[in-house]
Amino acid sequence: EISLGLVGSEMCIRDRPYVHPVPVKGIPGMQYIAAGWFEPGGDPEAVDPVRLGRVWVDAFYLATDPVTVEQYLEFVNALPESEARQHVPAAMASVGGKQPVMARVEGRWVFTKAGISLQAPMGSVPWTSMCAYVAWRSEQTGLALRLPHGVEWEKAARGADGRWFPMGWSMEPTATVMVSSTPNMPTLRPVSELSRDLSPYGVRGMSGNIADVMANPWTHEGGRIVSGRLVLSLIHISEPTRPRLI
């Protein structure tokens, strides 16, 4: 549910052109999305689609995989217990049921949902906890991380050729995790197992497994465009506005 992007020196950039130098050197665990023109939206069969347009998107990095259960556990275990309790999800809707999925055992938080790998993506994280995780991970890595804008995410998924799906022009359910992937109700899979659900830029798991949260509020226009260029009007970490789910 949490995908991480990389910006220059600020986590949230609001209402101004996104201008910053992006190093082209590789960053482990992240994929470089080159600057260029992109046409987001326009799918007549999508639910409540973004209007088709053409926009310049500046270069950025996007994490190869969403944040895993193991990575989120590392975060809550690095906090004092009282603070960690504020960021432990009450449940994970993506794995069914309403029972807690984390518990305190011998002084550490552990994942208690049987059958779900620690390498599966972490879900049902409150907005304030996502921002707290991003701030913590930024401090740990020395990188200015943030949640991605919806147009950035879509470009990373569809590439420069505008394909309908990350894996190409048609969907292959067995390559990802969705209702029609298996005869039975599917469950979350480790992020590394989705090697066929790969975007043109090398980002995995963008077709299914779990929904990602975007940093921008939803609009049919897909975002604020100034002189043909995407302006990152992101939700500030203190704002409770519902972020966009993709």
Side-chain angles (χ1 to χ4, degrees):
E1 192 169 57
I2 311 174
S3 290
L4 296 180
L6 174 64
V7 298
S9 59
E10 299 182 49
M11 188 192 313
C12 294
I13 301 177
R14 299 171 55 79
D15 299 325
R16 60 184 178 84
Y18 182 37
V19 183
H20 70 279
V22 175
V24 181
K25 66 179 181 180
I27 298 178
M30 306 197 83
Q31 301 298 326
Y32 179 70
I33 316 299
W37 291 102
F38 175 63
E39 293 187 354
D43 183 356
E45 298 185 10
V47 177
D48 202 17
V50 172
R51 296 191 183 99
L52 179 65
R54 187 170 184 264
V55 58
W56 177 270
V57 181
D58 287 302
F60 63 100
Y61 280 89
L62 188 65
T64 306
D65 301 301
V67 174
T68 64
V69 172
E70 183 176 56
Q71 290 171 322
Y72 196 78
L73 276 173
E74 182 184 357
F75 161 60
V76 295
N77 277 311
L79 303 175
E81 182 179 354
S82 58
E83 184 179 351
R85 289 188 180 278
Q86 302 174 31
H87 301 301
V88 172
M92 275 180 66
S94 51
V95 297
K98 298 182 180 180
Q99 299 300 316
V101 294
M102 290 185 181
R104 190 85 172 168
V105 178
E106 297 181 353
R108 291 186 62 80
W109 293 98
V110 297
F111 191 65
T112 57
K113 183 66 177 180
I116 302 297
S117 169
L118 293 181
Q119 299 308 313
M122 185 66 203
S124 300
V125 178
W127 171 248
T128 53
S129 297
M130 290 183 199
C131 291
Y133 174 86
V134 171
W136 175 82
R137 182 61 72 180
S138 295
E139 183 178 351
Q140 297 297 307
T141 62
L143 301 173
L145 299 170
R146 60 170 172 82
L147 299 176
H149 188 283
V151 173
E152 291 177 322
W153 188 97
E154 188 176 347
K155 182 183 179 183
R158 296 176 60 194
D161 60 6
R163 60 186 63 191
W164 290 124
F165 304 100
M167 62 189 71
W169 290 98
S170 60
M171 172 63 77
E172 174 48 61
T174 61
T176 187
V177 180
M178 55 193 302
V179 173
S180 55
S181 295
T182 64
N184 303 314
M185 181 61 67
T187 188
L188 293 177
R189 289 166 56 187
V191 295
S192 60
E193 291 185 3
L194 301 182
S195 58
R196 291 196 296 151
D197 185 3
L198 195 68
S199 86
Y201 292 104
V203 183
R204 288 188 292 203
M206 303 187 85
S207 300
N209 212 22
I210 202 165
D212 290 338
V213 176
M214 303 296 104
N216 60 300
W218 166 258
T219 67
H220 280 103
E221 289 70 31
R224 183 171 173 229
I225 311 300
V226 176
S227 300
R229 187 179 196 175
L230 175 67
V231 176
L232 297 188
S233 298
L234 307 180
I235 301 172
H236 191 269
I237 59 174
S238 63
E239 294 181 2
T241 309
R242 179 177 175 82
R244 176 180 179 179
L245 285 172
I246 289 186

